[in-house]
């Protein structure tokens, strides 16, 4: 069973508000991913890290999205000014290392923008 | 452009029946293929993966999948489903040699198991 911890499980924000969610990857997993899953089950890869360094990221939607994985602190994903289209399940996942293939997912943070 | 296609959005089966979930992909390079399951309200759980070798791979809970290079497919099968197999199943591809190896998912197949 995955030990990736995501908080909060549910987040409700008004349009224009900041939305911040956190992720504690499994212990010893240096690679962390963030994905957005919409109501149609479409996944969008957002960003991934190895330790504190960004490996890959998409052009984060007009720069409203930011993410970090500081050492000795939870990883975080923040939306600076929430829009209705940001309503989705945000999934964090971690992987033991570059040589590993299995990815372990958290239960997600469901963001609703009203 | 990498794509993953799951042609069946919804499959309904009876408990004890067999099930096959189809996955076809389009990618030009070396890849990992995997299947994940998502129960309602929960995160994705890994079922199985393929990279090379025997094209039939065994996963957890009696699931297996078969890779076909000629068909660009990686179909998931289970011989006898249980009610607890009701969930959404996602096929995923990740490039083998890209630094982060982000997963590219299909849009899922919802499996409903009736008693």
């Amino acid at each position: 069973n995955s030990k990736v911890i995501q908080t909060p499980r549910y987040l409700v924000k008004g349009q224009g508000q900041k939305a911040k969610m956190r992720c504690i990857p499994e212990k010893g997993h240096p690679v962390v991913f963030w994905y957005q899953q919409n109501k149609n089950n479409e996944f969008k890869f957002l960003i991934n890290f190895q330790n504190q360094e960004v490996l890959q990221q998409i052009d984060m939607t007009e720069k409203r999205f930011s993410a970090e994985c500081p050492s000795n602190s939870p990883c975080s994903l923040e939306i600076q000014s929430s829009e209705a289209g940001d309503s989705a399940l945000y999934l964090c996942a971690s992987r033991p290392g570059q040589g590993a293939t299995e990815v372990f997912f958290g239960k997600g943070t469901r963001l609703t923008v009203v | 452009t990498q794509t993953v296609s799951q042609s069946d959005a919804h499959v309904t089966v009876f408990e004890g029946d067999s099930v096959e979930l189809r996955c076809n992909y389009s990618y030009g390079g070396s890849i990992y293929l995997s299947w994940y399951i998502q129960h309602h309200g929960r995160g994705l759980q890994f079922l199985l993966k393929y990279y090379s070798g025997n094209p039939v791979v065994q996963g957890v809970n009696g699931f297996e999948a078969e890779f076909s290079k000629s068909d660009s497919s990686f179909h998931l099968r289970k011989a006898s489903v249980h009610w607890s197999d009701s969930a959404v199943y996602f096929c995923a591809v990740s490039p083998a040699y890209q630094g982060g190896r982000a997963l590219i998912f299909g849009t899922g197949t919802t499996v409903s198991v009736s008693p």
Side-chain angles (χ1 to χ4, degrees):
Chain A
N1 287 330
S2 173
K3 298 179 179 62
V4 176
I5 307 297
Q6 287 190 251
T7 56
R9 289 293 308 279
Y10 302 93
L11 192 56
V12 180
K13 293 291 178 181
Q15 294 197 47
Q17 289 187 316
K18 280 188 187 180
K20 188 167 185 174
M21 54 203 85
R22 292 175 175 81
C23 170
I24 301 174
E26 285 211 28
K27 191 174 181 180
H29 286 196
V31 182
V32 175
F33 301 82
W34 285 100
Y35 290 89
Q36 179 196 67
Q37 182 185 13
N38 69 19
K39 62 180 181 180
N40 296 319
N41 281 337
E42 294 163 332
F43 286 81
K44 179 191 281 187
F45 163 76
L46 297 176
I47 192 169
N48 58 3
F49 294 85
Q50 178 152 334
N51 298 311
Q52 293 80 54
E53 301 297 321
V54 175
L55 289 175
Q56 301 167 278
Q57 63 180 337
I58 63 164
D59 179 19
M60 280 205 181
T61 322
E62 303 159 22
K63 309 299 184 189
R64 293 186 298 110
F65 288 68
S66 61
E68 61 176 4
C69 268
S71 61
N72 300 317
S73 293
C75 298
S76 64
L77 177 69
E78 185 171 56
I79 306 172
Q80 298 301 320
S81 177
S82 301
E83 298 176 356
D86 298 331
S87 296
L89 182 67
Y90 289 83
L91 291 164
C92 176
S94 69
R95 196 174 72 213
Q98 285 289 47
T101 52
E102 185 176 342
V103 176
F104 297 81
F105 284 83
K107 294 183 179 179
T109 293
R110 185 165 296 282
L111 172 66
T112 302
V113 182
V114 298
Chain B
T1 304
Q2 311 101 340
T3 61
V4 179
S5 172
Q6 294 181 245
S7 53
D8 298 315
H10 201 153
V11 170
T12 300
V13 291
F14 289 101
E15 202 164 16
D17 282 354
S18 63
V19 70
E20 179 177 86
L21 307 182
R22 291 192 292 258
C23 173
N24 291 88
Y25 64 91
S26 172
Y27 189 78
S30 183
I31 54 172
Y32 292 96
L33 291 153
S34 51
W35 278 93
Y36 287 79
I37 181 174
Q38 186 176 36
H39 286 101
H40 181 69
R42 293 165 68 171
L44 281 80
Q45 292 177 271
F46 174 82
L47 281 179
L48 46 74
K49 69 177 186 289
Y50 174 81
Y51 175 61
S52 64
N54 188 337
V56 179
V57 291
Q58 305 296 322
V60 298
N61 295 334
F63 286 96
E64 68 173 30
E66 183 166 5
F67 168 72
S68 170
K69 186 173 182 177
S70 60
D71 294 341
S72 297
S73 68
F74 189 55
H75 302 329
L76 181 72
R77 299 189 293 250
K78 185 168 183 178
S80 176
V81 297
H82 185 262
W83 64 267
S84 60
D85 294 325
S86 295
V88 185
Y89 292 78
F90 294 95
C91 180
V93 163
S94 62
Y97 299 116
Q98 187 185 79
R101 301 213 310 270
L103 292 161
I104 301 158
F105 289 93
T107 51
T109 298
T110 300
V111 174
S112 299
V113 180
S114 299

